[in-house]
Amino acid sequence: MMKGHRLFIFILAVGVFGILNTEMGVIGLLPYVSAYFGVSISEAGALVSLFALIVAVSGPVMPLLMSRFERKKAMLFVLAVFIAGNVISAVTDSFAILLAARVIPAFFHPVYCALAFSAAAEAVPQEYAPDAVGKVMVGVAAGMVLGVPVSNFLADAVSLQAAFAFFTAVTAAAFFATLFCIPSMPAGPKRTYGEQIGILRRPAVWMSIFAIVFMNGALFGVFTYLAEYLGVVTVLSGGAVSLFLFVYGLSNSAGSFLSGRLIRWNEGLTVQAFPWVLLALYALVWLGGAMAAVMAVLVVAWGFIGGVNASTQQYILTQAAPEAKEFASGIFLTSANAGTMAASALCGWCIAQWGTAAVLLGGAAFAAVSVVFLRLRSLAFHRSGKEETIAQVS
């Protein structure tokens, strides 16, 4: 166990928060970007959509390419790139330069997250690895929860530049904490790129990938339209919607924090139960979505399930490829983003066809398909275990 692992994991969580804060916080700045740079809202939206697309594309590639570098230096490099991008964003008057300052760091987003997940897992005894990764995942939840309202508040109360300065400050704090408080971290076992890519020959890895696509889509396809659902179906005011989303985020952080304990308590049940629990939740939302008091309770449960889900997804893929954790974590990020994009499109189509409440149908469809892939994943693991036993006997 790494000495001072609690501080180590906390610093990793702050770093992940800084990265996700930079990614998601811009959502709250789009109207201000549009006004300041004289571009349309749709053009400003490229700061979000292009960032997400690059993360999805570079997810498997960049962690693989940087897997041979000393981890501390690689993490410092990524944080430095994000700091530079945020500083440039704060001082430029050119939208093209702002877009470039967003695009370049996006390529390195999967590197830091993959390294943070694998380093956290290796800092503690193996049985506590899910706990450590779950605590780093709190940084992901915090980035999604706090990034948008804080950046929006700073842009409104101070200036757009103040919001970018906030992104810079958080990432700089992680940089200096890493520089002075984290010891050198040698790269993982020397494996060739071919050996790491070789994990894609395993059926269990592919079943895990497809399970993640549909698990994440089942959750975030609906969450993408949660604010609209709360406004149209539950008929909440704008302030109440913001409060509900904030509560969702807090509950999501709690789910991330406790996810490792749930996995250690009963790995199989925690993994296999997710789609069934989500389907039950969506049924309750369908029945009680018009009642604010009911939705208040369901949103808390929804957020908690989402926090557990994120850690579970990362766990099932790295479990299928334990010797290539960074590469597997990169694939996890790509799979999760792909699921979100596909399910958001389906849920948006459902809304266009049958109204806002029908968004739940898209999420339920993805959840149902994830049941199949989780089962196929279990069968693939069982089959590979039997084949390994036969090989050892032979």
Side-chain angles (χ1 to χ4, degrees):
M1 180 185 296
M2 177 181 287
K3 185 178 180 181
H5 70 276
R6 288 184 177 85
L7 175 61
F8 174 69
I9 291 171
F10 175 74
I11 293 172
L12 293 178
V14 173
V16 170
F17 169 61
I19 299 295
L20 266 294
N21 186 40
T22 299
E23 176 185 6
M24 303 302 295
V26 171
I27 293 174
L29 301 180
L30 295 184
Y32 303 95
V33 169
S34 174
Y36 184 84
F37 290 95
V39 297
S40 67
I41 283 290
S42 60
E43 289 174 317
L47 296 175
V48 178
S49 58
L50 193 56
F51 193 106
L53 177 62
I54 291 172
V55 170
V57 171
S58 64
V61 179
M62 294 302 293
L64 178 64
L65 293 178
M66 298 192 70
S67 62
R68 294 186 178 184
F69 292 93
E70 198 271 339
R71 292 176 178 177
K72 177 178 177 178
K73 292 179 180 178
M75 295 171 82
L76 286 171
F77 171 75
V78 175
L79 290 170
V81 170
F82 269 79
I83 291 170
N86 286 324
V87 169
I88 292 171
S89 298
V91 300
T92 187
D93 290 322
S94 166
F95 182 73
I97 293 176
L98 174 65
L99 193 59
R102 290 277 296 172
V103 165
I104 294 173
F107 282 101
F108 298 96
H109 174 294
V111 175
Y112 188 91
C113 291
L115 289 174
F117 297 150
S118 60
E122 294 174 12
V124 298
Q126 185 175 355
E127 63 269 25
Y128 291 98
D131 280 296
V133 174
K135 289 172 183 175
V136 173
M137 282 283 186
V138 173
V140 176
M144 297 175 66
V145 175
L146 297 178
V148 175
V150 171
S151 63
N152 181 273
F153 170 78
L154 288 172
D156 184 62
V158 185
S159 67
L160 177 64
Q161 288 70 28
F164 285 121
F166 169 65
F167 299 160
T168 305
V170 174
T171 314
F175 178 91
F176 288 110
T178 301
L179 180 64
F180 295 115
C181 300
I182 289 182
S184 176
M185 293 183 291
K190 298 293 183 181
R191 298 185 183 277
T192 67
Y193 295 139
E195 287 174 332
Q196 294 184 71
I197 294 173
I199 68 171
L200 296 176
R201 291 194 295 266
R202 301 175 189 170
V205 169
W206 281 105
M207 294 305 101
S208 299
I209 289 171
F210 287 121
I212 289 168
V213 168
F214 286 97
M215 290 168 72
N216 208 64
L219 187 81
F220 280 98
V222 180
F223 177 75
T224 300
Y225 302 98
L226 179 56
E228 181 179 356
Y229 187 95
L230 292 171
V232 174
V233 178
T234 316
V235 197
L236 298 179
S237 66
V241 169
S242 297
L243 177 61
F244 271 52
L245 293 176
F246 183 70
V247 169
Y248 175 98
L250 292 178
S251 185
N252 189 278
S253 298
S256 295
F257 188 83
L258 296 174
S259 58
R261 297 182 185 181
L262 290 173
I263 292 172
R264 284 196 296 113
W265 166 68
N266 193 318
E267 169 194 326
L269 179 61
T270 301
V271 172
Q272 298 292 335
F274 165 75
W276 297 106
V277 173
L278 192 62
L279 283 167
L281 177 77
Y282 286 167
L284 292 173
V285 173
W286 181 273
L287 295 172
M291 295 178 281
V294 172
M295 281 300 293
V297 175
L298 294 178
V299 162
V300 172
W302 202 338
F304 186 86
I305 293 168
V308 174
N309 175 51
S311 298
T312 301
Q313 291 176 44
Q314 196 274 341
Y315 172 78
I316 65 173
L317 192 48
T318 54
Q319 185 195 35
E323 75 279 25
K325 288 187 175 69
E326 284 88 358
F327 182 43
S329 292
I331 296 173
F332 153 67
L333 292 170
T334 294
S335 304
N337 276 276
T340 297
M341 288 187 287
S344 296
L346 175 61
C347 290
W349 181 83
C350 290
I351 291 173
Q353 296 298 313
W354 301 299
T356 303
V359 68
L360 299 168
L361 299 177
F366 266 65
V369 176
S370 73
V371 172
V372 176
F373 283 110
L374 285 172
R375 179 57 182 163
L376 291 174
R377 176 185 179 275
S378 296
L379 293 174
F381 260 110
H382 180 68
R383 188 177 300 113
S384 63
K386 288 178 67 175
E387 291 172 353
E388 183 177 338
T389 300
I390 293 171
Q392 289 173 350
V393 172
S394 301

